[in-house]
Amino acid sequence: MKRLDQVLANDGVGAELELVIKDVMVACKDIAYKLAQGELAGILGATEDENVQGETQKKLDVISNDLLKDILIANPYVRGIGSEEEDYTVAGNAGGKYLVTFDPLDGSSNIDVNLSVGTIFSVLEAQDDQSGDNQEVFLQNGRKQVAAGYVLYGPSALLVMTTGNGVNFFTLDRNIGEFVLTKSNIQIPEDTAEFAINMSNQRFWEPEMKQYIDDCLAGEEGPLGKRYNMRWVASMVAEVHRILVRGGIFMYPYDSRDPSKAGKLRLMYEGNPMSMIVEQAGGASSTGRIDIMDVEPKGIHDRVPVVLGSKNEVAKVVAYHSK
Ligand code: AHG
Ligand code: MN
Ligand code: MN
């Protein structure tokens, strides 16, 4: 049995980064225990507030955000944090080397129906001496990430993470309160016939995306020559996890519902960390036109169109966009 800290040490992760990741996990374990208690812990339901994204905050969005924020800004190695649920980035320790961005609770529309949700995090290095409450210090592309991961709160709580040396699965052992290694060197199958997209937005998509999905639906008789299956959990963490386990393609493309937004998902909390994990597992991740990790962020809450998963299927979607 290998604990998370042993695996990190084995991968040559320095003590400072390890302590940052460890603190993220302290918060995630707390979230996992609260989720397991559900209604008993009084954590279900919505608040009366909206976040900066214009979305109603669930109670657990706020609780999870506070757990992560409080522990991380007290960590001596954390310069600052950026969160989906915070209007601005928050300063940590001026001498800290690391910046952490996170989606404290992903798929939060699933909480009240007792389905899978997750936490997504990304770690960057601060490149200069600016304070963590200045968002400029965070505006680095996804290639600069030094660690990325998510915790999937499902029937068991699973940590999936990478520090640039492949992807590992860790399962939370509630008896000892630790994440232990349960699968290593995850590889996403290169081909798939399973897609995940919110079909109800079809009429708002660009013609390239419409065409690809039409061709998937045409099955064996269509130009793609195979019969596709579809899944939609409405929780990116669960969707990406399924893809890591059995392959697939996940898309949240640009749509014209709100033309001012590049997509629904957020680059710094969802797009970049998931892209690092997927690429580290041999998959691919694109906006449909360029690799997500090559997108240069202009603001901490930037949105991005997302197409990720099995390498050869992502390449097909990219080919539709370059026709
Ligand atoms: P969040 O709960 O952090 O706002 O993210 C939800 C995201 C993502 O997890 C999921 O894939 C997608 O939004 C679901 O969108 P629909 O509501 O369109 O199904
Ligand atoms: Mn999310
Ligand atoms: Mn969220």
Side-chain angles (χ1 to χ4, degrees):
M1 185 190 88
K2 272 195 191 150
R3 293 188 319 263
L4 172 62
D5 56 326
Q6 294 168 318
V7 173
L8 293 175
N10 216 30
D11 282 351
V13 171
E16 300 187 1
L17 179 56
E18 188 195 319
L19 284 169
V20 173
I21 293 168
K22 226 174 167 176
D23 273 354
V24 174
M25 286 315 117
V26 170
C28 289
K29 284 185 244 180
D30 207 339
I31 299 168
Y33 296 133
K34 287 188 164 62
L35 274 164
Q37 287 292 98
E39 194 84 77
L40 300 173
I43 51 147
L44 304 186
T47 67
E48 291 185 346
D49 299 323
E50 270 190 1
N51 64 14
V52 64
Q53 333 272 340
E55 300 160 342
T56 305
Q57 288 179 307
K58 299 281 186 181
K59 278 189 205 163
L60 206 65
D61 283 322
V62 177
I63 295 169
S64 308
N65 182 62
D66 290 348
L67 285 169
L68 284 157
K69 178 175 72 174
D70 292 349
I71 195 162
L72 286 171
I73 59 175
N75 183 308
Y77 309 113
V78 174
R79 178 83 60 88
I81 60 112
S83 165
E84 185 184 285
E85 304 299 339
E86 294 284 333
D87 296 6
Y88 307 103
T89 62
V90 182
N93 190 305
K97 179 171 167 190
Y98 295 107
L99 303 163
V100 188
T101 67
F102 49 85
D103 176 354
L105 204 70
D106 174 68
S108 52
S109 72
N110 281 335
I111 306 168
D112 294 343
V113 289
N114 203 26
L115 291 176
S116 292
V117 290
T119 295
I120 313 172
F121 66 95
S122 156
V123 186
L124 291 159
E125 272 180 27
Q127 303 294 349
D128 50 38
D129 55 9
Q130 293 176 70
S131 164
D133 52 11
N134 181 350
Q135 72 156 355
E136 294 295 320
V137 69
F138 287 81
L139 302 182
Q140 309 176 36
N141 72 34
R143 304 265 171 227
K144 305 269 172 57
Q145 294 172 104
V146 294
Y150 62 78
V151 175
L152 169 63
Y153 311 103
S156 48
L158 285 182
L159 163 66
V160 174
M161 72 163 298
T162 181
T163 52
N165 199 10
V167 178
N168 294 318
F169 290 180
F170 302 85
T171 304
L172 178 60
D173 182 339
R174 289 173 199 255
N175 295 322
I176 58 169
E178 297 277 358
F179 283 99
V180 298
L181 183 68
T182 39
K183 269 202 182 78
S184 49
N185 190 25
I186 304 302
Q187 292 293 319
I188 300 174
E190 291 184 356
D191 293 294
T192 186
E194 189 165 74
F195 68 84
I197 196 164
N198 184 341
M199 288 290 295
S200 67
N201 298 323
Q202 190 178 34
R203 70 188 192 281
F204 303 111
W205 298 336
E206 294 181 301
E208 294 84 353
M209 188 53 66
K210 271 189 193 147
Q211 190 61 54
Y212 168 69
I213 295 294
D214 281 350
D215 292 349
C216 289
L217 298 178
E220 302 87 323
E221 278 81 52
L224 296 171
K226 57 184 171 185
R227 183 179 297 192
Y228 282 79
N229 184 28
M230 196 198 92
R231 285 288 184 276
W232 188 249
V233 188
S235 167
M236 188 190 199
V237 169
E239 236 75 75
V240 169
H241 194 67
R242 184 184 61 250
I243 289 170
L244 288 176
V245 173
R246 66 178 194 209
I249 184 166
F250 167 86
M251 290 153 286
Y252 215 115
Y254 170 80
D255 67 56
S256 60
R257 283 175 295 171
D258 179 350
S260 69
K261 290 180 184 151
K264 177 178 181 185
L265 299 178
R266 281 120 314 199
L267 178 63
M268 306 294 288
Y269 323 116
E270 295 167 320
N272 278 339
M274 291 311 206
S275 298
M276 183 178 183
I277 294 167
V278 165
E279 282 198 13
Q280 282 286 318
S285 168
S286 171
T287 64
R289 295 185 168 87
I290 63 165
D291 286 358
I292 288 179
M293 287 196 285
D294 290 329
V295 174
E296 295 296 338
K298 306 230 162 15
I300 189 78
H301 297 299
D302 278 8
R303 314 250 183 168
V304 69
V306 173
V307 178
L308 60 75
S310 293
K311 203 172 166 171
N312 295 338
E313 201 61 30
V314 172
K316 282 180 201 163
V317 177
V318 173
Y320 276 78
H321 285 82
S322 56
K323 266 179 196 162

